[in-house]
């Protein structure tokens, strides 16, 4: 930029540039590198475009691959870029699962390790998942999100522990939180769950600094109700969101949750009819949900909602039976026309996550692994 342009104005201009350009500009001169690397610039930078990161097994060579698609109405889905995973992430996270995405960061995990990864700058940090010496671990659930105010990434781990002090068989939930700024695990500030009988599911999503879990009350395997448990990532407090009866008690349909237009969406899946009803929360705290539309396709053997575009259109993978072979496709469903458009990716085992460009993790050392430093808990 010209020396005649005030540096403050240069700073405002650079905040509107894509991450790829910013990384290149760090090599132009020391003032620009200092500006882009500063914690204030990283905190207040937010990319303008959403991307869809597609993880899949290639149908030709059967290798796992990642493709990033620019989620732009004018060019979608033509702008595709193959994403290279940092080598140390590949080595540590074999057979990994995506925990979720928040503020441009994705979190992957396996039984021993979690990795917080920024695909925009190809940088990641690893976190050892704590192993507890409880008498009996019934199970665990994990969630990931970023604080609204501080943009500090956090991993939440829910431990289901058999309480040995109880006269009857009783499973209690013990939460733990890893905070990137401290590099340590600890008990959350507000560690009390709304109910003791809650059972979390693997359906969870981070929305604007709040981590939501789909859960049930756990009172009976045959007589239960769905509910939503939220975890405020800043205050670290758990709260309960009740669902309307048509969602909470309809056991013939399965529920899952997603982020849709920066709010919480609940999807109700009918296995027999092979359709999804899409519901959106309207106020953030109560059981106020509205039904937006139904995803229903003809001549489909199976369908699975993967993610939502910035426009609100769902990205789904569908399976059709064509002669002796399964036709697996990743498509976008248009609710008004009820038409689908292919994303042009030939594969299977799809996993799709939306993310915005960010500079978070730019200040993190390369190849760093945070260890387990959590104090012991009592069941």
């Amino acid at each position: 930029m010209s020396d005649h342009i005030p540096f403050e104005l240069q700073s405002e201009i650079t905040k509107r540039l894509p991450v790829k350009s910013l990384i290149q500009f760090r090599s132009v001169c020391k003032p620009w590198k200092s500006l882009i690397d500063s914690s204030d610039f990283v905190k207040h930078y937010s990319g303008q475009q959403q991307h869809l990161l597609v993880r899949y097994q290639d149908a030709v060579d059967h290798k796992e691959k990642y493709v990033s698609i620019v989620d732009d109405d004018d060019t979608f889905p033509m702008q595709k870029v193959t994403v290279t995973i940092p080598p140390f992430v590949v080595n540590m996270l074999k057979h990994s699962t995506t925990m979720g995405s928040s503020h441009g960061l994705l979190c992957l995990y396996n039984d021993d390790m979690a990795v917080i990864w920024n695909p925009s700058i190809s940088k990641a940090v690893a976190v050892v998942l704590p192993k507890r010496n409880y008498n009996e671990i019934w199970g665990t659930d994990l969630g990931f999100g970023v604080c609204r105010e501080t943009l500090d990434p956090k991993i939440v781990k829910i431990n289901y522990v058999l309480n040995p002090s109880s006269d009857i068989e009783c499973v209690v939930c013990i939460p733990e939180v890893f905070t990137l700024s401290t590099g340590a695990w600890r008990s959350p500030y507000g560690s009390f769950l709304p109910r003791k009988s809650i059972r979390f599911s693997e359906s969870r999503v981070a929305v604007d600094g709040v981590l939501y879990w789909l859960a049930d009350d756990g009172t009976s395997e045959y007589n239960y109700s769905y509910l939503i448990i939220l975890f405020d990532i800043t205050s670290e407090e758990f709260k309960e969101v009740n669902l309307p009866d048509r969602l909470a008690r309809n056991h013939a349909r399965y529920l899952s949750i997603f982020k849709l237009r920066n709010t919480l969406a609940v999807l109700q899946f009918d296995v027999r009819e092979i359709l999804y009803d899409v519901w959106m929360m309207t106020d953030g705290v109560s059981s106020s949900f509205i039904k937006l539309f139904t995803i229903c396709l003809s001549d489909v053997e199976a369908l699975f909602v993967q993610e939502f575009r910035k426009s609100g259109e769902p990205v789904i993978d569908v399976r059709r039976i064509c002669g002796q072979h399964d036709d697996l496709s990743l498509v976008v469903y248009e609710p008004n026309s009820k038409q689908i458009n292919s994303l042009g990716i030939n594969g299977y085992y799809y996993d799709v996550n939306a993310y915005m460009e960010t500079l978070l993790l730019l200040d993190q050392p390369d190849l760093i692994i945070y260890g387990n430093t959590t104090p012991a808990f009592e069941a």
Side-chain angles (χ1 to χ4, degrees), residues 80 120 130-131 165 169 187 190 211 222 240 269 305 316 330:
K80 297 187 183 76
S120 298
K131 300 294 184 180
S165 62
E169 186 172 292
S187 174
L211 179 58
Y222 304 101
E240 182 178 325
F269 180 54
V305 175
I316 60 179
L330 190 63

Side-chain angles (χ1 to χ4, degrees), residues 167-362:
D167 294 333
I168 60 174
E169 186 172 292
C170 178
V171 175
V172 296
C173 297
I174 299 179
E176 300 175 79
V177 174
F178 172 86
T179 305
L180 184 59
S181 61
T182 64
W185 290 89
R186 56 173 173 75
S187 174
Y189 302 128
S191 59
F192 298 103
L193 293 165
R195 306 187 200 177
K196 291 184 178 179
S197 58
I198 288 172
R199 295 183 299 190
F200 291 76
S201 79
E202 292 185 355
S203 185
R204 69 281 203 192
V205 64
V207 182
D208 196 24
V210 177
L211 179 58
Y212 295 93
W213 265 283
L214 179 66
D216 66 69
D217 58 14
T219 54
S220 169
E221 191 171 339
Y222 304 101
N223 183 25
Y224 62 90
S225 296
Y226 286 114
L227 65 146
I228 303 292
I229 298 297
L230 69 82
F231 179 78
D232 189 300
I233 301 171
T234 301
S235 66
E236 298 188 357
E237 293 180 330
F238 291 94
K239 295 180 182 179
E240 182 178 325
V241 177
N242 293 318
L243 293 170
D245 283 347
R246 69 184 70 183
L247 293 176
R249 299 184 181 277
N250 190 343
H251 299 163
R253 293 189 171 192
Y254 297 98
L255 298 189
S256 55
I257 58 176
F258 288 85
K259 177 181 176 180
L260 171 58
R261 298 196 184 104
N262 209 38
T263 191
L264 179 69
V266 176
L267 274 62
Q268 193 176 38
F269 180 54
D270 189 316
V271 179
R272 293 167 298 182
E273 300 293 331
I274 314 179
L275 61 82
Y276 281 91
D277 288 331
V278 180
W279 298 74
M280 186 172 70
M281 185 167 64
T282 59
D283 59 7
V285 292
S286 69
S287 56
S288 181
F289 285 79
I290 59 171
K291 182 179 174 181
L292 298 181
F293 54 86
T294 297
I295 304 171
C296 184
L297 298 172
S298 60
D299 302 323
V300 169
E301 179 75 14
L303 62 86
F304 183 77
V305 175
Q306 291 279 355
E307 184 59 281
F308 283 87
R309 291 189 59 200
K310 193 175 181 179
S311 62
E313 296 175 338
V315 179
I316 60 179
D317 65 69
V318 298
R319 185 179 73 198
R320 293 185 174 90
I321 302 300
C322 301
Q324 301 297 320
H325 304 285
D326 287 354
D327 177 24
L328 303 174
S329 304
L330 190 63
V331 302
V332 172
Y333 178 81
E334 209 293 311
N336 293 326
S337 66
K338 304 186 187 314
Q339 299 298 311
I340 59 174
N341 296 302
S342 174
L343 293 185
I345 298 176
N346 188 18
Y348 53 96
Y349 295 150
Y350 296 108
D351 181 30
V352 184
N353 288 272
Y355 70 95
M356 301 293 289
E357 291 188 354
T358 182
L359 291 171
L360 295 179
L361 304 187
L362 186 63

Side-chain angles (χ1 to χ4, degrees), residues 13 18 41-42 61-63 68 114 119 124 200 209 239 257 263 347-348 361 370 379:
I13 294 174
F41 187 90
V42 170
D61 59 19
H62 307 291
K63 293 182 179 179
S68 180
F200 291 76
K239 295 180 182 179
I257 58 176
T263 191
Y348 53 96
L361 304 187
Y370 290 97

Side-chain angles (χ1 to χ4, degrees), residues 23 26 33-43 105 116 118 121 123-125 150-153 180-182 358-368 370:
I23 297 302
R26 292 169 71 242
K33 186 178 188 305
S34 297
L35 169 67
I36 297 169
D37 288 355
S38 67
S39 58
D40 185 70
F41 187 90
V42 170
K43 180 178 179 180
L105 301 180
I116 303 172
N118 182 342
I121 62 175
K123 201 165 189 179
V125 298
T150 62
L151 296 186
D152 197 359
L180 184 59
S181 61
T182 64
T358 182
L359 291 171
L360 295 179
L361 304 187
L362 186 63
D363 60 342
Q364 288 289 319
D366 288 327
L367 309 180
I368 188 169
Y370 290 97

